[in-house]
Amino acid sequence: MVTLASRSRSVRRTANKPKLVNGAPAPNPVVRALKGIVLLICCAAVAIPFIGVISTSLADQDQITKAGGYVLWPSHPSFDAYAAIFRGGAVTRATLVSIGITLVGSLLSMAVVALLAYSLSRPGSFGHRPLLMLVLITMLFNAGMIPNYLLIKQLGLIDSWWALILPPVVSAFQVIIVRAFFMEVPREIIDAARIDGAGELQILTRIMLPLSKAVLAVVGLFQAVAYWSAFFNALLYINDPDKWPLSLVLRTYVVDNTAIGTDLPGEVVPPQQSLQMAILVVSLVPICLVYPFLQKHFAKGVVVGAVKG
Amino acid sequence: MANSALTRRRFLTLTGGAAAAVAGSGLLAACGTSTTPTTGGAGSVTFPEYAPATLVKPDLPATADGVMAGFYEYPANLATAFTSKPGEGLGNVTVLTNMFNPVPPSAGSNAYWQEVNNRLGATLDITMTPSADYLSKLSTIIAGGQLPDLTLISSKLAHRADVLTRMCADLSEFVSGSAVKDYPFLANIPRDAWLPTAYGGGIYGVPIPRGIAGTIFFSRNDLIRARSLNNAPASYAEFVTLAEGLTDAKANRWAFGGIKRVIVFVGTMLGVPNTWKAEGGKFVSEFETEQRKEAVARTAELYKKGLFHPDSLGGKLQVRDLFGNGTIALHGDGYAAWDTMAAAYKAAEIGAMPAPKAEGGGIAQHPAGAAAFAITAVKKGDKARIKQLLKICDWLAAPLGTTEYMFRKFGIEGTHYTMQNGKPVLTDKGKVEVKLPLEYVIDAPPVLGPGDKARVDAQRAYQEKVVPTMLRSPADGLYSATAVDKAGEMSKIIDAAELDIVSGRKPAAYWDEAVAAWKKAGGDAARAEYEKAVSS
């Protein structure tokens, strides 16, 4: 029988009991406010530079001069810097070149890395230890600029887009990630496939690759970013500016365009900072567009590769 | 021709230093040793006779001691300097140079480039490289063993003397003394600019000339006048008074921005030599002089007084913009910045301040700037081809007032530019196409203007005050392999010491320690090489 006194105790107990949110005690409002402020500062630390980049790309010389370099909010937005970049079609053409190189390079890289990683992941395969050492050693030593140039020259690849695609097609780091992933695939699955009469190529294409979408997405994204951003190989191997990728064309604006004005009437040169920031925006857009679609695989693939060694 | 043949070992020798410089690897440098002279020498070279061009009369003629010619307007009646095509019959002419502009469309889709080829009578095949990366490109091209017909040789190229004397043509017989008269616009390039072309007793390039006015200490005359201060201090004490009067920390106004330029300016007042001082064949570095040490110490005092922008030590200030918006009132920059800053910061009244002698008594001797941006070397080959390549260089050096100059700089009238109020205005097509970096192959000597008359007059007045007594470096025209190869390491020691002393982290006496380290890092070796070059 429930008495009034016992009911009253029960109510008091309920009143003292902390409020639960998702099964956990709700935090103190002060702590919540502090956490909010800290998170806000963290967000601002990330967002403000981005806002600064976009704002400066839209600012004119007067605003940049008044601000002493970089503008946080443009009072009179101007697209002169973007117009200057896209004038003449060089940037548009270079964008298409970069897209082509990135697509072909990334796909080729995924194929080659998968093949190499698979062969190195099979313990009984011929000479896989020395081959693995050869791959690993490239992480420690680089042939150097001039030997690489001579090799490309002797292969007759000067002024060819293959000079940009082939040298970075195999990345030792990515071979290690994919190899580690392949080695974690249960041996029983491979044995079952072999009993069913599958050869090595069938095991790779029918069993391993379908199981490895996440890690291949990581390889693809890493390589795509690398191909998209690379300018140095193009600088050395491509003489024809019509074949330059976007990264090299944009570099001519970022690094060298030192003009801050002109004495010629009619020629308004956007300020250097605006040009530089507009270029940052232009070069970031494609990667920002692709990243959300690959993010899920990317996070998963990196974690998988990281914990299975 | 035997010298031009490159074995594998020879190539590693030649390119090792450059590769080390640009790729941070010393491995290649260890593969061979240089056998050609490591020092160049101007002593035994007969430089081209200077013969100022007379086709066009400037408003303010150039002077023999290096004051630049001045133009108030673009000449109305252009002179045609070439009646025939200078490169007729040459066919393809390959060129490697750097650029500071965004890349132009290639020849196939560039009407300006096609017209350049048409007027030259040859096909210019130009490989353009962003200037920041030029040294890497140049090193690989040298390693490949096939230089283009015309190659821009950077002053930072390691083993430069070796590369030039083995792979490039000695132009002495074509341009020495009066022979240069065959190329009247190359003869229009002052002697100062030719000094860095001399190696091993020969002339191995054509210079891209620059004015020797060098660095100017710019002042915001409007701010100085608003505070009723003196914009022409007659001594160090008056200079300090001016800087103090211009500084108002509460209003975010400071006298100075960059540390290095102030040290150099104070050093000029104190009589610091221009890089080196030569006495009886013995070289003394500017860093070894008491005046240079004193300049750093005095700059530290200025810093202590709070006359520098608070972020000066970081070296990342946008100093030009801060000068333009009045945050900084005094700013050292190249002479060409006068026009660009005046165009960008229209509200600012920009003046130039000559350095007075520290104790008063007139204007100090200013250090001369580099008289050449770089040199362009010609590939070894038969004499007839070299002569015609020099004709192309001559065409590229045709000065302001010639049709060749106007075409080079602005393209075809009506297509790439139109004349408005006596000035060329680029069309949209011109803005895109006329970006071919011809001025970094060869160019005419720079001039003041054409532009605002008051500014041209002010620039001229400054140069007339300063240039006649300019202090030239005794190392000009000499080549020290160590000074080039170890430049980064050596300057890092000095720059760090200057910052440490000016910021107060180290006492002024620390300078001696830094100079000892600099000597050990290459200063003594460079001195020995210069002394050897002078005596040879």
Side-chain angles (χ1 to χ4, degrees):
Chain A
M1 186 177 164
V2 179
T3 64
L4 274 175
S6 67
R7 186 178 294 169
S8 161
R9 278 197 299 274
S10 163
V11 169
R12 274 204 300 276
R13 269 202 304 274
T14 312
N16 288 339
K17 211 172 173 181
K19 202 194 261 180
L20 297 179
V21 176
N22 293 334
N28 185 316
V30 178
V31 174
R32 287 181 70 185
L34 280 175
K35 281 181 178 173
I37 290 168
V38 169
L39 285 175
L40 206 64
I41 292 171
C42 291
C43 288
V46 174
I48 287 175
F50 271 108
I51 294 169
V53 164
I54 295 168
S55 299
T56 306
S57 75
L58 298 172
D60 60 21
Q61 182 68 61
D62 282 347
Q63 294 170 67
I64 286 175
T65 304
K66 274 181 197 154
Y70 296 98
V71 177
L72 207 53
W73 192 253
S75 50
H76 310 290
S78 149
F79 287 92
D80 286 350
Y82 292 93
I85 292 168
F86 284 100
R87 188 188 293 144
V91 170
T92 312
R93 186 178 53 246
T95 306
L96 294 175
V97 169
S98 278
I99 289 171
I101 288 171
T102 303
L103 278 177
V104 175
S106 304
L107 290 173
L108 196 62
S109 184
M110 285 161 71
V112 173
V113 166
L115 284 168
L116 183 57
Y118 179 68
S119 61
L120 293 177
S121 70
R122 299 299 92 203
S125 60
F126 173 74
H128 85 281
R129 281 284 165 199
L131 278 174
L132 183 60
M133 290 308 293
L134 274 179
V135 170
L136 290 179
I137 214 164
T138 63
M139 290 179 78
L140 305 175
F141 301 104
N142 186 312
M145 179 180 73
I146 290 175
N148 277 331
Y149 174 82
L150 292 178
L151 176 65
I152 294 291
K153 189 165 183 272
Q154 287 187 3
L155 290 173
L157 295 180
I158 295 293
D159 256 343
S160 161
W161 285 320
W162 288 110
L164 310 183
I165 292 170
L166 292 180
V169 81
V170 179
S171 155
F173 173 66
Q174 282 156 32
V175 170
I176 289 167
I177 288 181
V178 179
R179 176 180 172 268
F181 188 91
F182 285 164
M183 289 181 81
E184 289 303 315
V185 173
R187 193 178 172 83
E188 292 78 7
I189 298 179
I190 298 168
D191 288 343
R194 217 183 292 280
I195 289 167
D196 286 343
E200 292 295 343
L201 197 62
Q202 278 176 312
I203 292 171
L204 175 65
T205 54
R206 301 269 178 91
I207 309 289
M208 301 302 260
L209 293 184
L211 289 172
S212 315
K213 281 179 192 160
V215 81
L216 289 175
V218 172
V219 171
L221 189 66
F222 273 157
Q223 286 299 88
V225 172
Y227 276 114
W228 184 263
S229 316
F231 73 91
F232 198 68
N233 281 354
L235 177 92
L236 297 182
Y237 308 143
I238 308 292
N239 295 329
D240 181 356
D242 277 356
K243 291 182 178 175
W244 282 6
L246 185 64
S247 51
L248 184 54
V249 170
L250 296 186
R251 187 171 167 79
T252 64
Y253 288 89
V254 176
V255 179
D256 291 327
N257 192 23
T258 52
I260 58 167
T262 172
D263 205 23
L264 295 174
E267 189 184 8
V268 179
V269 177
Q272 190 191 4
Q273 292 93 331
S274 299
L275 277 172
Q276 290 179 339
M277 296 305 117
I279 277 153
L280 273 181
V281 174
V282 169
S283 59
L284 281 174
V285 163
I287 291 295
C288 289
L289 287 177
V290 171
Y291 192 81
F293 298 101
L294 292 176
Q295 190 189 14
K296 187 177 70 181
H297 297 297
F298 182 72
K300 191 178 164 193
V302 167
V303 171
V304 168
V307 296
K308 295 179 181 176
Chain B
M1 290 300 288
N3 275 353
S4 64
L6 279 177
T7 62
R8 184 175 176 78
R9 180 161 290 270
R10 187 70 215 146
F11 132 69
L12 290 171
T13 304
L14 284 176
T15 57
V22 297
S25 162
L27 290 175
L28 294 175
C31 295
T33 53
S34 178
T35 52
T36 45
T38 53
T39 55
S44 57
V45 172
T46 306
F47 285 106
E49 282 176 12
Y50 176 51
T54 52
L55 271 178
V56 182
K57 194 167 174 252
D59 296 305
L60 305 164
T63 67
D65 44 25
V67 176
M68 287 153 64
F71 287 82
Y72 298 129
E73 304 283 349
Y74 283 87
N77 300 312
L78 298 177
T80 298
F82 284 78
T83 51
S84 60
K85 295 181 177 182
E88 191 78 70
L90 267 182
N92 212 37
V93 175
T94 50
V95 179
L96 175 66
T97 188
N98 69 11
M99 62 178 176
F100 288 82
N101 278 324
V103 62
S106 62
S109 48
N110 187 332
Y112 169 72
W113 195 336
Q114 290 162 11
E115 184 59 19
V116 169
N117 290 342
N118 178 38
R119 294 192 184 198
L120 283 176
T123 305
L124 276 192
D125 179 4
I126 305 181
T127 299
M128 296 165 270
T129 306
S131 69
D133 306 306
Y134 185 69
L135 206 52
S136 304
K137 182 80 177 180
L138 181 59
S139 302
T140 53
I141 295 290
I142 291 167
Q146 286 180 327
L147 279 187
D149 291 312
L150 300 170
T151 308
L152 181 85
I153 301 292
S154 162
S155 60
K156 292 177 184 166
L157 178 68
H159 300 281
R160 194 166 68 240
D162 214 346
V163 169
L164 284 166
T165 53
R166 285 180 176 273
M167 301 180 79
C168 303
D170 181 356
L171 305 177
S172 301
E173 65 173 293
F174 309 106
V175 297
S176 273
S178 60
V180 78
K181 285 178 183 166
D182 288 344
Y183 314 98
F185 302 121
L186 298 185
N188 185 40
I189 296 173
R191 184 181 181 277
D192 279 320
W194 285 94
L195 290 176
T197 66
Y199 293 88
I203 295 175
Y204 284 92
V206 179
I208 299 171
R210 291 289 181 267
I212 63 163
T215 300
I216 291 178
F217 211 61
F218 292 106
S219 56
R220 282 289 301 268
N221 284 351
D222 49 337
L223 301 179
I224 293 173
R225 197 169 45 248
R227 287 164 180 72
S228 305
L229 297 165
N230 174 17
N231 71 349
S235 65
Y236 178 75
E238 288 187 19
F239 174 68
V240 176
T241 305
L242 170 66
E244 286 172 337
L246 286 167
T247 301
D248 181 356
K250 284 179 186 163
N252 192 31
R253 293 192 182 281
W254 316 89
F256 311 119
I259 303 277
K260 187 82 174 181
R261 295 287 163 87
V262 175
I263 294 175
V264 172
F265 191 71
V266 173
T268 303
M269 291 188 213
L270 293 166
V272 171
N274 184 354
T275 321
W276 293 91
K277 182 170 69 175
E279 284 170 353
K282 297 290 174 196
F283 273 59
V284 178
S285 164
E286 62 166 313
F287 302 128
E288 298 170 289
T289 63
E290 278 305 310
Q291 294 97 317
R292 188 61 161 78
K293 184 179 175 182
E294 177 73 11
V296 178
R298 289 202 188 190
T299 307
E301 285 169 15
L302 297 175
Y303 186 82
K304 205 172 172 187
K305 283 173 189 276
L307 304 179
F308 281 84
H309 188 284
D311 297 331
S312 295
L313 290 176
K316 298 288 182 193
L317 279 180
Q318 299 286 332
V319 189
R320 276 187 180 175
D321 284 326
L322 293 175
F323 180 70
N325 71 13
T327 304
I328 287 166
L330 303 169
H331 161 58
D333 210 330
Y335 71 87
W338 196 328
D339 287 333
T340 47
M341 287 197 296
Y345 314 127
K346 292 192 166 45
E349 188 190 320
I350 297 170
M353 184 187 293
K357 288 179 182 165
E359 302 307 321
I363 290 173
Q365 272 192 293
H366 287 62
F373 167 79
I375 66 172
T376 290
V378 180
K379 188 170 79 170
K380 279 187 175 178
D382 66 85
K383 285 184 183 179
R385 186 169 176 87
I386 291 173
K387 277 183 179 178
Q388 230 176 337
L389 289 170
L390 286 173
K391 270 286 171 205
I392 288 181
C393 294
D394 197 38
W395 185 86
L396 291 169
L400 176 65
T402 60
T403 50
E404 289 78 6
Y405 179 95
M406 287 302 281
F407 168 68
R408 281 200 329 266
K409 301 291 179 185
F410 305 107
I412 305 164
E413 188 170 5
T415 304
H416 296 107
Y417 76 97
T418 55
M419 292 301 285
Q420 291 176 20
N421 301 322
K423 290 185 175 182
V425 178
L426 287 173
T427 61
D428 282 347
K429 193 178 175 69
K431 285 174 190 171
V432 173
E433 293 188 348
V434 189
K435 297 285 185 196
L436 208 55
L438 295 178
E439 69 270 32
Y440 296 107
V441 183
I442 298 293
D443 203 3
V447 295
L448 303 173
D452 175 53
K453 183 174 184 299
R455 189 161 76 240
V456 173
D457 282 339
Q459 291 171 333
R460 176 75 178 200
Y462 173 83
Q463 291 208 1
E464 284 177 352
K465 267 187 212 164
V466 165
V467 170
T469 59
M470 255 181 169
L471 204 55
R472 286 160 170 84
S473 167
D476 283 348
L478 304 178
Y479 173 70
S480 156
T482 306
V484 177
D485 298 354
K486 304 270 185 181
E489 188 185 339
M490 288 157 68
S491 63
K492 200 181 277 182
I493 293 168
I494 294 298
D495 292 348
E498 285 173 348
L499 278 186
D500 282 344
I501 294 169
V502 170
S503 63
R505 291 192 291 261
K506 297 265 171 70
Y510 173 69
W511 183 252
D512 298 329
E513 216 175 292
V515 171
W518 173 86
K519 286 159 76 172
K520 201 174 167 188
D524 279 338
R527 179 206 327 278
E529 286 167 4
Y530 284 133
E531 287 174 356
K532 188 181 166 196
V534 164
S535 63
S536 62

